[in-house]
Amino acid sequence: MTLFSRISGTGSYLPPRRVTNDDLARELAERGIETSDQWIVERTGIRARHFAEPDVTSSDLGLEASKRALEAAGRKAEDIDLIIVATSTPDMVFPSSAAILQRKLGIAGCPAFDIQAVCSGFVYALTVADAMIKTGSARCALVVGAEVFSRILDFSDRTTCVLFGDGAGAVVLEASETPGILASDLHADGKYVDILSVPGHVSGGKVLGTPLLHMDGQAVFKLAVRVLEDAARAALAKAGKTEADIDWLIPHQANLRIMEGTAKKLKLPLEKLVVTVHDHGNTSAASIPLALDDAVRSGKIKKGETVMLEGVGGGFTWGAVLLTL
Ligand code: ACO
């Protein structure tokens, strides 16, 4: 009997259009909005982000990331028996981006569904896929985080529009005799719905409310540092491990100050922190698998090492997954 699930391949994809802080500052200046590379770097660590072209969807980005993850795993699309896409910027209201991705992969029949937990989406999706593999419902899952956050940004609000970007990351998660995913710890607290939301909805053929992102940045900041530490400690305790067992920490890539604060609270040297936020911005559910793939492909993370993934985002949602690669 298979007791474990393990990542057998990672992949990611960024849309080609790279927008630096200076590029964005110039575009915003044309709208009469003032910002600067210095402000953005000092407060967030972000230096650039990638924006998808208007006709490119989350499933398009997810498809490219999935192809790369499948190739790394030595698998074909036909081997996949479960698809989960974490996204807050789906292609359509329905069907799910996972179903659309399934069609683009040229396969049919396996279950495919989206998970909506905003920036915690990928750790939620990985936890669900792990549980389905452990209970025998799947053997070879494709778990994807894919976002086109540029679609829901209010470019008249400099406090939010400088923070986010587009992209996708994917992993192939397979049944395994040896441990891969060691423990996970997920949470949500709906009383914080209002501090980070896109409050619009579709009704009677119209969009009601605003379909753009709103955030109370300082409230998010304070909550994020606290819950990221709690989730990491809970996942370590469940796995019977300590901070000393963590080779690499991959928090949701939202803000360098939040990430470094979390590493310090866990008493981890900053060399163990994987950082891609400087070049990706905050890509919500895509940020963790993008950072994971970046670190694997650059040779930083090696097979057999222990990695802590941590998500935090709207809902409020948060969670951690501890795994051996
Ligand atoms: N350029 C220049 N000035 C700006 C900008 C900008 N882009 N944005 C805000 N300012 C100004 C403000 O107007 C304010 O000016 P004032 O003092 O004259 O009023 C000043 O800078 C300070 O603004 P604050 O909001 O107090 O800045 P703060 O230090 O809190 O940083 C930030 C803002 C970066 C958003 C911070 O609160 C943060 O990182 N919060 C966490 C956000 C986050 O990580 N969200 C994502 C997590 S969940 C998810 O990923 C969906």
Side-chain angles (χ1 to χ4, degrees):
M1 198 178 111
T2 303
L3 288 174
F4 305 108
S5 75
R6 192 164 190 156
I7 291 176
S8 56
T10 66
S12 62
Y13 181 76
L14 289 162
R17 188 157 84 91
R18 184 172 181 273
V19 178
T20 65
N21 290 344
D22 284 333
D23 295 334
L24 192 57
R26 267 192 300 275
E27 282 176 35
L28 293 177
E30 284 168 21
R31 298 165 181 245
I33 295 160
E34 196 189 321
T35 189
S36 66
D37 176 58
Q38 189 188 355
W39 191 96
I40 301 170
V41 172
E42 274 175 12
R43 304 284 172 131
T44 71
I46 297 167
R47 293 178 183 276
R49 74 287 294 140
H50 293 245
F51 285 153
E53 295 306 317
D55 59 339
V56 171
T57 62
S58 287
S59 71
D60 290 327
L61 302 179
L63 175 65
E64 296 309 319
S66 299
K67 283 183 190 164
R68 293 174 186 186
L70 285 165
E71 193 185 0
R75 290 288 187 186
K76 294 196 165 56
E78 296 72 39
D79 299 325
I80 295 300
D81 60 8
L82 169 67
I83 300 174
I84 308 180
V85 174
T87 187
S88 298
T89 47
D91 296 24
M92 306 178 186
V93 172
F94 73 80
S96 69
S97 297
I100 298 168
L101 175 62
Q102 185 192 50
R103 179 170 74 175
K104 289 179 179 170
L105 284 165
I107 56 175
C110 71
F113 58 92
D114 287 2
I115 278 190
Q116 159 56 297
V118 201
C119 307
S120 310
F122 188 75
V123 292
Y124 267 64
L126 204 54
T127 302
V128 171
D130 172 56
M132 289 181 71
I133 287 175
K134 282 181 176 152
T135 55
S137 305
R139 289 195 61 81
C140 186
L142 182 62
V143 185
V144 181
E147 301 280 14
V148 282
F149 250 59
S150 58
R151 305 285 151 76
I152 53 168
L153 295 180
D154 179 353
F155 284 96
S156 67
D157 174 11
R158 67 178 180 174
T159 67
T160 54
C161 74
V162 301
L163 304 175
F164 296 89
D166 302 338
V171 302
V172 177
L173 189 73
E174 300 200 40
S176 164
E177 303 291 322
T178 53
I181 292 190
L182 304 172
S184 59
D185 184 68
L186 301 181
H187 298 274
D189 187 342
K191 75 169 168 285
Y192 296 108
V193 160
D194 295 333
I195 66 170
L196 179 52
S197 64
V198 178
H201 65 281
V202 177
S203 177
K206 295 195 180 99
V207 175
L208 301 187
T210 167
L212 300 174
L213 184 145
H214 286 256
M215 177 172 73
D216 176 346
Q218 288 183 3
V220 169
F221 194 103
K222 283 184 203 141
L223 208 53
V225 178
R226 179 167 62 78
V227 297
L228 285 173
E229 182 191 7
D230 292 348
R233 292 198 186 285
L236 285 170
K238 282 183 187 174
K241 305 265 184 197
T242 70
E243 297 99 311
D245 295 307
I246 300 175
D247 294 311
W248 297 101
L249 177 66
I250 309 187
H252 168 47
Q253 308 281 313
N255 180 312
L256 189 58
R257 288 188 297 154
I258 295 176
M259 293 160 63
E260 290 184 347
T262 305
K264 275 186 200 139
K265 287 196 166 193
L266 294 172
K267 299 188 176 54
L268 292 178
L270 293 182
E271 300 77 62
K272 292 192 171 191
L273 183 65
V274 174
V275 177
T276 52
V277 71
H278 57 286
D279 194 46
H280 298 177
N282 178 348
T283 58
S284 192
S287 93
I288 294 171
L290 264 162
L292 175 65
D293 184 52
D294 193 82
V296 167
R297 281 176 196 259
S298 68
K300 203 180 245 186
I301 301 183
K302 296 181 182 63
K303 201 163 171 52
E305 289 189 318
T306 300
V307 185
M308 175 71 81
L309 309 180
E310 290 196 278
V312 59
F316 217 66
T317 55
W318 65 98
V321 173
L322 185 69
L323 60 89
T324 300
L325 202 74

